[in-house]
Amino acid sequence: RELIEIVQGLTGSHHHQEVRRLATMPAPLQQDPEMRQKVLTIQEDWENRELIEIVQMNVLAITAFLNKIDTSTRYKLARINEKLAKLERTLDFCESAVKNTLENNE
């Protein structure tokens, strides 16, 4: 009877979780309100720990992904910088050659 009253009093998103927890609880625990509360608190704590672990694992995966992108981007930018420096040297050489040719023709 007490279990039915508890189930009827439950509302919100925790309703199904509480019903599942209470249904799987042995009968002696269902009858002792203090012990039932302790068991529910422990179960809720484990669920919270599992959620925290999932969040931590996802944060680690995102961090690894971002670090990989960072490394790849730095490498690609370094290569572009090398190519740009080579182009600047070639352009300087060409400008110098053209300037030298124009001065000699005057």
Side-chain angles (χ1 to χ4, degrees):
R1 181 175 181 198
E2 189 177 328
L3 176 62
I4 293 172
E5 291 172 3
I6 292 172
V7 170
Q8 289 174 344
L10 294 174
T11 59
S13 63
H14 297 287
H15 175 72
H16 296 292
Q17 291 176 342
E18 293 293 328
V19 170
R20 188 178 69 236
R21 286 184 199 145
L22 291 172
T24 59
M25 201 179 292
L29 292 179
Q30 291 178 4
Q31 294 172 359
D32 181 4
E34 186 177 318
M35 185 59 99
R36 180 180 62 239
Q37 185 59 41
K38 287 180 183 178
V39 169
L40 290 175
T41 302
I42 291 170
Q43 287 176 336
E44 186 175 316
D45 181 60
W46 275 105
E47 288 173 1
N48 289 337
R49 289 172 189 250
E50 288 174 0
L51 177 63
I52 290 169
E53 184 177 351
I54 289 169
V55 170
Q56 286 175 333
M57 297 300 270
N58 285 323
V59 167
L60 288 174
I62 291 169
T63 303
F65 173 73
L66 291 174
N67 285 336
K68 184 177 177 181
I69 288 176
D70 177 62
T71 302
S72 174
T73 303
R74 287 179 188 271
Y75 172 75
K76 290 176 182 179
L77 285 173
R79 291 210 36 187
I80 290 171
N81 192 40
E82 289 172 4
K83 290 178 181 180
L84 184 58
K86 184 178 177 182
L87 284 172
E88 287 175 343
R89 287 191 304 271
T90 303
L91 182 60
D92 287 343
F93 174 76
C94 290
E95 286 177 348
S96 176
V98 168
K99 185 177 181 180
N100 193 18
T101 303
L102 290 175
E103 288 177 356
N104 287 339
N105 286 338
E106 291 179 0

